[in-house]
Amino acid sequence: MNKIYLFAIILMPLISIQLPALAQTVNGEIRDAETQQPIGFCNIVIVKSTIGAITNRQGKFEITIPQNIPPAKLAVSIVGYVADTIELNAAKFTYQILLQPTRGILNEVVVTGVSKATRVRENPVAIVTISAKAIEQSAENNIIDVLVKNAPGLNAVKTGPNISKPFIRGLGHNRVLTLYDGIRQEGQQWGDEHGIEVDAYNISRAEVVKGPASIMYGSDAVAGVVTLLPAMPANKDENIQGKYFTEYQANNGLAGNGIRLTFSKNHWAYALRGSHRIAKNYTNSIDGRVYNTGFKETNASATVQHFNKGGYSNLNLTLYDNLQGIPDGSRDSLTRKFTKQIDEGDNDDIKDRPIVSDEALNSYRLSALHQHIQHYRVYSNHHYQTGNGDIDFTLALQQNIRREYNHPTVPQQAGMYVRLNTLNYGFRYNASSFLNTEISVGINGMYQNNQNKNATNFPIPDYSLFDAGSYIFAKWKQNKWVISAGARYDLRFLQSGDFYTKKDTVTGFAKQVFSTGIADAYLQFPAFTKTFHGTSLSMGATYQANEHLNVKANVARGYRAPGITEFASNGLDPGAYIIYLGNRNFVPEFSLQEDIGVDIYYKDFSASASIFNNNMQHYIYLSELIDATGNAITDAQGNKTFQYQQAAAQLYGMEMLLNIHPAILKGFTFDNSLSVVYGYNRKKAYKNAGLNGEFLPLIPPLKVLTSINQNIKKISKTLEEINVKIEAEYSGVQNRYLALNNTETATPAYTLFNISTNTKINFSKINTVLFQVQVNNIFEKANQSNLSRLKYFEYYTQAPYNHFGMYNMGRNICVKTILSF
């Protein structure tokens, strides 16, 4: 394995194949048609290619058009403006483009899950884009929470402010594939107690594909894809440019700082980025400060890019380091004050732990019981024109190290310590258009090696995994129709040797042993060799009835191999406080999802609606185990035991958007979104069982988000823009939950109100500063989400005022500044 890594590291800088191509270089500027102000960070894509550019803050751009894609056209788009397509003249080299402002988002160009850049209106797949402006003007606890606010149908399972796992239409964990700059994010994503290992200050754009219609990525994309696109160097003016981020959130004292620096000259571009965030325990009106929910997070990354007339190559490095508290919810039964674990095993009485002091609750100092997550990534992307088509090649190395410290008597001893190495590869060829048809073919996959290190708990074994998949995708466009179809075949090899553990007579903890002849050794994970395979299919169509109405339909079959925990787990995950039990008889999941959607766009309003139905074969889910008396099976620390099950399942629901933006009221918008999903276990034993097994776990309730926004532009030469937004977020009652064995409980409805203001100031011709003040949960509404794991951290059957588990964050005043220079 070490040889493979060394070879890949040496190879990446050398594979920047520079194919000669004659070309035309054009430049220009993009401005607001009403105010004549330049539009910065606007997306420009050469039609029928993946070559693009982004305007700088003065709205200027430069792009090279290869001669092998005549007649060249530029697709220009940015959220908040009507997209436009510009035909290029071979004798003209400079262009001024005027975009009409609007609040519709249906023309946004997307790149996720398709062969080439395309528009939302043309794509039959349900896709939501989140712009850099939307990301920067959102004050949330992490990047996934930002996306949840902007993408109906996307939710998050949470374990405190900095831990959010994306769920799409009721499906999550290994069913949602997260991409970072096109690279699969691989970091023990089966676990609930850690977030996505990315730098939130470095994400300039995001896209969410809902459903298994993206056949580009294979297993683990059965629910959809979340693509996080980092800020990359784009300007070519030979000046150092950058952004500095700083924010403070009063509820948990979150203090964050981040910086981006870019420079470009001749055929080279460079970027350096870094950030640091620290927070203490968050607070609410029911629990006070919630013990052990603080964190310390550090990020760093760098990019070197070489570009020429034929394409580009880049080399990227990222580093993520997070020290994260592990809340367990233990309390004093009378006062409901949080307590802390100081003993272990039989010496630890959950009901007699000492109360956490006010000083510790209000401190940035983390408890000895915490987790340490590190993620390192080195990857290289390459895109070049070849003949009348183009190629993309990607190679990446990732290492994820996860340590969970759960021994108060020996705080330096990790309870769980796993190291996951991943080698990702991918190749795609986009053929030239023929008979109005674009065809793409590709292969991609990964090799993984996971090892347990010096630990005392072993929920999963050591294993090796190899994935390989190939696909073909075609899109035909003529007149009012766009029809796309694709097919993919995947193969996965999973292998593990015998894994023995033994109780250490000195420490009393379990440890891994490497010899079968050791007395009292326990075979915790017998060896296995397993092969999974499956076929994914997708077909859809978009019909543009007129310039105001698009109708879409898509049918997709998705495949997912069982994850390592689902297949082979047998032990305690100390950070999740769950004893996992897998099943080696599991077979892959398959889903068949139908989507029907409609997009409506007018000058004064835009709307979209999408309904879906997803039938799943061999759906894998967790169910709590109970003893003969009906009580949960736990260990001495109260950790519950859950076992994976497999059955048929059905999920269906809808999402709706309505954006009202009257032209007569400049800058005013009234935005509304609605999403709802229902999930049913179709196992015959649970037919008509209702709460006792018929409903699937972790299904989000009805969610409605309404906001009124007023934007005032060009107030003066210095004061460029003021934006005021009032928002109401309604989460409906969830009375369709998995009550079997007390796995879940009912969740009442609640409404949260938020308000924010953004002020953009020009303090020079090229430098700006954005000031933002946002207040979330203005009225300090006590609330619990049914997707919050903290809701279920409860050790008593009775509690004062029936306040069980931990509540979500209370009022939070957020202040953010973004300095562009």
Side-chain angles (χ1 to χ4, degrees):
M1 182 61 195
N2 291 332
K3 292 181 179 180
I4 295 177
Y5 274 63
L6 180 61
F7 175 75
I9 292 172
I10 295 173
L11 179 64
M12 278 190 288
L14 301 179
I15 55 179
S16 303
I17 305 171
Q18 301 178 20
L19 301 178
L22 298 175
Q24 173 191 9
T25 299
V26 300
N27 57 66
E29 61 179 358
I30 300 176
R31 292 181 174 270
D32 187 304
E34 295 181 359
T35 67
Q36 298 300 308
Q37 293 300 306
I39 304 175
F41 309 106
C42 187
N43 297 300
I44 305 166
V45 177
I46 302 174
V47 175
K48 297 184 180 180
S49 83
T50 56
I51 297 177
I54 300 175
T55 60
N56 63 16
R57 283 190 294 276
Q58 293 76 49
K60 296 182 179 180
F61 70 92
E62 181 180 284
I63 193 168
T64 300
I65 317 294
Q67 283 194 345
N68 52 17
I69 50 174
K73 297 180 181 180
L74 297 183
V76 183
S77 70
I78 186 172
V79 172
Y81 290 86
V82 178
D84 201 359
T85 300
I86 308 299
E87 293 193 16
L88 299 183
N89 187 328
K92 186 177 180 181
F93 301 96
T94 302
Y95 295 81
Q96 184 180 70
I97 302 170
L98 301 179
L99 295 184
Q100 293 291 336
T102 177
R103 297 299 294 180
I105 62 170
L106 302 180
N107 280 315
E108 176 73 355
V109 171
V110 300
V111 298
T112 300
V114 292
S115 57
K116 298 180 181 181
T118 188
R119 289 179 179 160
V120 172
R121 293 186 70 178
E122 295 180 356
N123 201 317
V125 179
I127 298 180
V128 177
T129 65
I130 300 95
S131 68
K133 185 174 183 179
I135 293 173
E136 291 182 353
Q137 293 187 356
S138 297
E140 303 297 331
N141 291 284
N142 59 71
I143 186 62
I144 298 301
D145 288 352
V146 170
L147 305 191
V148 168
K149 278 291 188 71
N150 291 277
L154 177 68
N155 292 275
V157 167
K158 296 179 64 65
T159 313
N162 200 38
I163 304 175
S164 297
K165 309 287 282 192
F167 266 55
I168 297 176
R169 291 176 169 177
L171 298 173
H173 296 114
N174 286 60
R175 298 184 183 93
V176 173
L177 182 61
T178 302
L179 302 178
Y180 178 86
D181 199 14
I183 307 297
R184 290 175 65 115
Q185 182 78 13
E186 291 294 326
Q188 310 284 355
Q189 55 262 42
W190 52 268
D192 283 318
E193 67 280 10
H194 57 91
I196 304 298
E197 301 94 341
V198 298
D199 182 359
Y201 295 142
N202 188 38
I203 302 303
S204 65
R205 191 165 173 271
E207 298 170 0
V208 178
V209 179
K210 293 179 284 190
S214 177
I215 54 95
M216 302 295 175
Y217 308 109
S219 181
D220 298 355
V222 71
V225 180
V226 175
T227 294
L228 303 173
L229 299 168
M232 301 296 285
N235 301 317
K236 304 176 183 179
D237 56 5
E238 301 186 9
N239 291 318
I240 295 177
Q241 300 192 22
K243 280 193 175 185
Y244 175 70
F245 302 77
T246 181
E247 69 171 324
Y248 178 77
Q249 299 188 17
N251 185 286
N252 59 347
L254 187 155
N257 293 276
I259 191 167
R260 302 178 193 164
L261 296 173
T262 62
F263 175 76
S264 179
K265 185 176 182 179
N266 298 327
H267 295 287
W268 292 92
Y270 311 89
L272 287 174
R273 318 167 193 91
S275 70
H276 180 72
R277 299 197 308 154
I278 185 171
K280 55 188 176 182
N281 302 312
Y282 79 87
T283 184
N284 61 56
S285 60
I286 301 297
D287 304 308
R289 290 216 172 268
V290 178
Y291 182 55
N292 226 1
T293 55
F295 60 89
K296 296 179 182 179
E297 180 187 306
T298 302
N299 293 276
S301 62
T303 296
V304 177
Q305 184 178 71
H306 182 269
F307 50 90
N308 58 25
K309 294 178 181 180
Y312 66 85
S313 291
N314 59 39
L315 180 65
N316 306 270
L317 303 170
T318 70
L319 176 151
Y320 172 95
D321 190 285
N322 183 24
L323 294 169
Q324 180 79 49
I326 306 177
D328 68 357
S330 67
R331 306 173 187 249
D332 178 74
S333 62
L334 297 178
T335 65
R336 294 290 286 173
K337 291 185 176 181
F338 288 101
T339 60
K340 61 180 179 180
Q341 181 184 353
I342 60 173
D343 291 311
E344 303 194 51
D346 295 337
N347 295 325
D348 177 35
D349 185 352
I350 297 173
K351 298 180 180 180
D352 194 31
R353 291 178 176 176
I355 292 175
V356 181
S357 68
D358 291 340
E359 180 186 2
L361 285 172
N362 202 38
S363 172
Y364 283 97
R365 188 170 54 253
L366 290 176
S367 162
L369 307 187
H370 65 274
Q371 55 183 317
H372 188 189
I373 300 170
Q374 297 162 291
H375 195 95
Y376 308 101
R377 185 190 293 108
V378 53
Y379 67 96
S380 186
N381 292 324
H382 310 267
H383 176 85
Y384 287 94
Q385 297 292 318
T386 172
N388 292 324
D390 58 80
I391 59 172
D392 284 285
F393 177 71
T394 299
L395 188 65
L397 291 169
Q398 298 180 72
Q399 182 175 81
N400 184 271
I401 301 172
R402 179 176 162 204
R403 283 167 284 195
E404 296 179 349
Y405 297 95
N406 66 319
H407 294 298
T409 59
V410 191
Q412 71 277 10
Q413 173 63 60
M416 181 177 177
Y417 186 175
V418 287
R419 185 234 63 203
L420 178 67
N421 287 338
T422 304
L423 170 65
N424 304 91
Y425 64 91
F427 175 84
R428 182 176 70 202
Y429 173 67
N430 299 317
S432 60
S433 180
F434 177 72
L435 297 177
N436 299 317
T437 303
E438 299 174 0
I439 297 178
S440 298
V441 295
I443 58 173
N444 52 33
M446 62 180 174
Y447 171 80
Q448 284 189 335
N449 177 265
N450 187 82
Q451 286 189 359
N452 286 271
K453 296 295 187 177
N454 179 23
T456 63
N457 300 110
F458 309 95
I460 59 174
D462 297 345
Y463 69 90
S464 295
L465 178 152
F466 178 75
D467 254 353
S470 60
Y471 62 86
I472 182 171
F473 179 85
K475 182 175 74 173
W476 174 79
K477 181 180 178 181
Q478 187 170 5
N479 300 326
K480 297 183 177 182
W481 285 94
V482 177
I483 298 176
S484 61
R488 178 186 180 95
Y489 180 76
D490 281 283
L491 193 64
R492 170 172 291 185
F493 296 97
L494 192 62
Q495 187 175 33
S496 175
D498 287 336
F499 189 103
Y500 288 87
T501 60
K502 176 181 170 61
K503 185 176 180 179
D504 190 313
T505 57
V506 177
T507 65
F509 304 135
K511 65 178 182 179
Q512 183 180 3
V513 292
F514 299 92
S515 174
T516 58
I518 296 178
D520 300 324
Y522 167 56
L523 181 58
Q524 186 167 342
F525 301 101
F528 60 82
T529 299
K530 187 72 176 180
T531 301
F532 300 104
H533 60 89
T535 302
S536 303
L537 303 168
S538 177
M539 184 171 184
T542 299
Y543 176 70
Q544 185 175 351
N546 52 52
E547 61 178 325
H548 302 296
L549 176 66
N550 280 29
V551 180
K552 306 177 179 183
N554 197 85
V555 179
R557 181 182 193 258
Y559 146 86
R560 183 181 79 92
I564 188 64
T565 51
E566 298 163 338
F567 180 75
S569 60
N570 180 29
L572 171 69
D573 179 349
Y577 297 99
I578 290 176
I579 300 169
Y580 289 103
L581 298 178
N583 191 321
R584 298 193 178 190
N585 295 318
F586 277 174
V587 295
E589 290 181 339
F590 289 95
S591 69
L592 181 63
Q593 180 165 307
E594 305 91 19
D595 283 87
I596 299 176
V598 58
D599 295 334
I600 302 172
Y601 176 79
Y602 283 90
K603 184 178 182 180
D604 293 328
F605 77 94
S606 57
S608 66
S610 178
I611 61 175
F612 66 92
N613 178 65
N614 188 1
N615 288 288
M616 300 192 67
Q617 294 177 296
H618 316 305
Y619 171 83
I620 300 173
Y621 63 100
L622 270 176
S623 181
E624 186 175 337
L625 296 185
I626 59 174
D627 59 23
T629 62
N631 295 318
I633 298 176
T634 65
D635 62 9
Q637 277 66 49
N639 300 306
K640 297 180 179 180
T641 302
F642 285 77
Q643 186 171 42
Y644 287 99
Q645 312 285 345
Q646 198 163 39
Q650 182 183 14
L651 300 100
Y652 59 86
M654 67 179 300
E655 295 110 26
M656 298 180 64
L657 283 171
L658 174 61
N659 303 316
I660 301 173
H661 37 84
I664 195 172
L665 300 176
K666 289 187 178 181
F668 175 83
T669 61
F670 178 41
D671 299 331
N672 304 270
S673 68
L674 177 149
S675 61
V676 63
V677 59
Y678 299 95
Y680 293 90
N681 189 325
R682 294 308 187 190
K683 190 175 183 178
K684 291 183 179 180
Y686 296 136
K687 186 176 182 179
N688 299 322
L691 302 178
N692 294 316
E694 185 179 14
F695 302 127
L696 296 180
L698 297 175
I699 299 298
L702 169 70
K703 182 179 177 181
V704 179
L705 191 64
T706 297
S707 66
I708 297 174
N709 190 89
Q710 180 63 57
N711 186 271
I712 305 173
K713 291 186 176 181
K714 204 58 183 176
I715 301 167
S716 68
K717 185 177 180 180
T718 302
L719 187 56
E720 179 177 327
E721 182 179 356
I722 293 180
N723 187 84
V724 178
K725 182 178 182 180
I726 301 174
E727 180 181 75
E729 180 183 353
Y730 172 77
S731 291
V733 61
Q734 183 53 288
N735 50 21
R736 296 171 178 265
Y737 58 93
L738 182 58
L740 185 67
N741 301 335
N742 297 313
T743 300
E744 293 181 322
T745 58
T747 306
Y750 60 88
T751 303
L752 305 180
F753 292 91
N754 314 312
I755 187 169
S756 65
T757 178
N758 293 274
T759 304
K760 189 174 184 179
I761 298 173
N762 298 322
F763 58 91
S764 74
K765 290 184 178 180
I766 61 173
N767 299 326
T768 65
V769 60
L770 176 71
F771 291 108
Q772 177 182 1
V773 178
Q774 180 170 321
V775 184
N776 294 329
N777 194 2
I778 299 172
F779 302 112
E780 190 74 35
K781 174 68 176 179
N783 66 94
Q784 285 180 310
S785 167
N786 76 307
L787 296 184
S788 171
R789 295 180 63 245
L790 301 185
K791 176 178 184 284
Y792 302 101
F793 286 8
E794 179 60 58
Y795 295 96
Y796 301 102
T797 57
Q798 293 183 345
Y801 308 105
N802 289 321
H803 291 152
F804 294 97
M806 289 172 273
Y807 281 68
N808 296 342
M809 183 178 285
R811 183 186 301 113
N812 191 16
I813 301 173
C814 314
V815 180
K816 181 192 289 187
T817 302
I818 302 176
L819 173 65
S820 300
F821 57 90

